[in-house]
Amino acid sequence: MEEQTNKQRIVRQSEDDPIKRISARYERNALWVVMGLTLAILLGLNVARDTRGATPLVITAVYFLIVVKGHAAWWRHSTRKDPTRQAMILLTEGVVRLVISAAVFTVLAFWAKGEGLVLVSTAIFCGYFVALLIFDVIFITRNEIYKKE
């Protein structure tokens, strides 16, 4: 009986923690965006009967899965430290994401140049980047609106 009470207490604590709840919701929704894009592009590659784009797609999808997990963890950690500096946290994270994305894109482009897939790799990577950027803006805006209410 005591063990069940402890489990219920742990669940209740995580539900009461708004930082953890928002972070989990961001992570879940962003993963759906990444997986939806991946499936849509895979379908497009299948319809076009072009399997050469599968490798850049996998590399890009894995990179953006890591970015989503990292963003959620960084936001959760930074917000717990100082919840009053949300704008600075998000701006810093955006700049770091842009710089790392530029480095990963450069490596991907150099690899794709040898394979003759520069346009495919560029389109896939930029599509993911723009989709997650739009998702982030919408998610952050909605959270700010809810916070003001």
Side-chain angles (χ1 to χ4, degrees), residues 1 19 74 91 98 121-122:
M1 191 67 144
I19 293 171
W74 186 2
L91 181 63
L98 183 63
S121 299
T122 302

PDB file of all heavy atoms in Angstrom, residues 1 19 74 91 98 121-122:
ATOM      1  N   MET A   1       0.820  -1.194   0.000  1.00  0.00           N
ATOM      2  CA  MET A   1       0.000   0.000   0.000  1.00  0.00           C
ATOM      3  C   MET A   1       0.864   1.258   0.000  1.00  0.00           C
ATOM      4  O   MET A   1       0.574   2.206  -0.692  1.00  0.00           O
ATOM      5  CB  MET A   1      -0.916  -0.034   1.223  1.00  0.00           C
ATOM      6  CG  MET A   1      -1.970   1.001   1.167  1.00  0.00           C
ATOM      7  SD  MET A   1      -3.087   0.623  -0.180  1.00  0.00           S
ATOM      8  CE  MET A   1      -4.587   1.132   0.478  1.00  0.00           C
ATOM      9  N   ILE A  19       7.352  23.338 -15.471  1.00  0.00           N
ATOM     10  CA  ILE A  19       8.536  23.301 -16.341  1.00  0.00           C
ATOM     11  C   ILE A  19       8.651  21.930 -16.984  1.00  0.00           C
ATOM     12  O   ILE A  19       8.851  21.812 -18.200  1.00  0.00           O
ATOM     13  CB  ILE A  19       9.797  23.662 -15.541  1.00  0.00           C
ATOM     14  CG1 ILE A  19       9.730  25.123 -15.110  1.00  0.00           C
ATOM     15  CG2 ILE A  19      11.046  23.405 -16.368  1.00  0.00           C
ATOM     16  CD1 ILE A  19      10.810  25.526 -14.139  1.00  0.00           C
ATOM     17  N   TRP A  74      17.910  21.414 -22.369  1.00  0.00           N
ATOM     18  CA  TRP A  74      18.552  22.701 -22.056  1.00  0.00           C
ATOM     19  C   TRP A  74      17.532  23.680 -21.499  1.00  0.00           C
ATOM     20  O   TRP A  74      17.784  24.384 -20.526  1.00  0.00           O
ATOM     21  CB  TRP A  74      19.220  23.271 -23.301  1.00  0.00           C
ATOM     22  CG  TRP A  74      20.027  24.512 -23.069  1.00  0.00           C
ATOM     23  CD1 TRP A  74      20.257  25.151 -21.896  1.00  0.00           C
ATOM     24  CD2 TRP A  74      20.732  25.261 -24.049  1.00  0.00           C
ATOM     25  NE1 TRP A  74      21.046  26.244 -22.080  1.00  0.00           N
ATOM     26  CE2 TRP A  74      21.356  26.334 -23.401  1.00  0.00           C
ATOM     27  CE3 TRP A  74      20.892  25.137 -25.414  1.00  0.00           C
ATOM     28  CZ2 TRP A  74      22.122  27.275 -24.073  1.00  0.00           C
ATOM     29  CZ3 TRP A  74      21.660  26.073 -26.071  1.00  0.00           C
ATOM     30  CH2 TRP A  74      22.269  27.122 -25.403  1.00  0.00           C
ATOM     31  N   LEU A  91      16.972  32.848 -26.904  1.00  0.00           N
ATOM     32  CA  LEU A  91      17.836  33.485 -27.897  1.00  0.00           C
ATOM     33  C   LEU A  91      19.183  32.776 -27.981  1.00  0.00           C
ATOM     34  O   LEU A  91      19.681  32.489 -29.073  1.00  0.00           O
ATOM     35  CB  LEU A  91      18.045  34.959 -27.533  1.00  0.00           C
ATOM     36  CG  LEU A  91      18.910  35.768 -28.500  1.00  0.00           C
ATOM     37  CD1 LEU A  91      18.247  35.822 -29.866  1.00  0.00           C
ATOM     38  CD2 LEU A  91      19.126  37.163 -27.961  1.00  0.00           C
ATOM     39  N   LEU A  98      21.603  27.436 -34.547  1.00  0.00           N
ATOM     40  CA  LEU A  98      21.942  27.920 -35.885  1.00  0.00           C
ATOM     41  C   LEU A  98      23.391  27.607 -36.237  1.00  0.00           C
ATOM     42  O   LEU A  98      23.686  27.132 -37.341  1.00  0.00           O
ATOM     43  CB  LEU A  98      21.681  29.423 -35.983  1.00  0.00           C
ATOM     44  CG  LEU A  98      21.920  30.066 -37.338  1.00  0.00           C
ATOM     45  CD1 LEU A  98      20.972  29.478 -38.373  1.00  0.00           C
ATOM     46  CD2 LEU A  98      21.745  31.562 -37.240  1.00  0.00           C
ATOM     47  N   SER A 121      19.931  16.996 -50.549  1.00  0.00           N
ATOM     48  CA  SER A 121      20.342  17.175 -49.148  1.00  0.00           C
ATOM     49  C   SER A 121      19.982  18.570 -48.639  1.00  0.00           C
ATOM     50  O   SER A 121      19.508  18.721 -47.511  1.00  0.00           O
ATOM     51  CB  SER A 121      21.853  16.969 -49.008  1.00  0.00           C
ATOM     52  OG  SER A 121      22.197  15.672 -49.387  1.00  0.00           O
ATOM     53  N   THR A 122      20.198  19.572 -49.480  1.00  0.00           N
ATOM     54  CA  THR A 122      19.879  20.940 -49.094  1.00  0.00           C
ATOM     55  C   THR A 122      18.385  21.107 -48.861  1.00  0.00           C
ATOM     56  O   THR A 122      17.965  21.704 -47.859  1.00  0.00           O
ATOM     57  CB  THR A 122      20.362  21.927 -50.170  1.00  0.00           C
ATOM     58  OG1 THR A 122      21.760  21.764 -50.362  1.00  0.00           O
ATOM     59  CG2 THR A 122      20.058  23.355 -49.789  1.00  0.00           C
TER      60      THR A 122
END
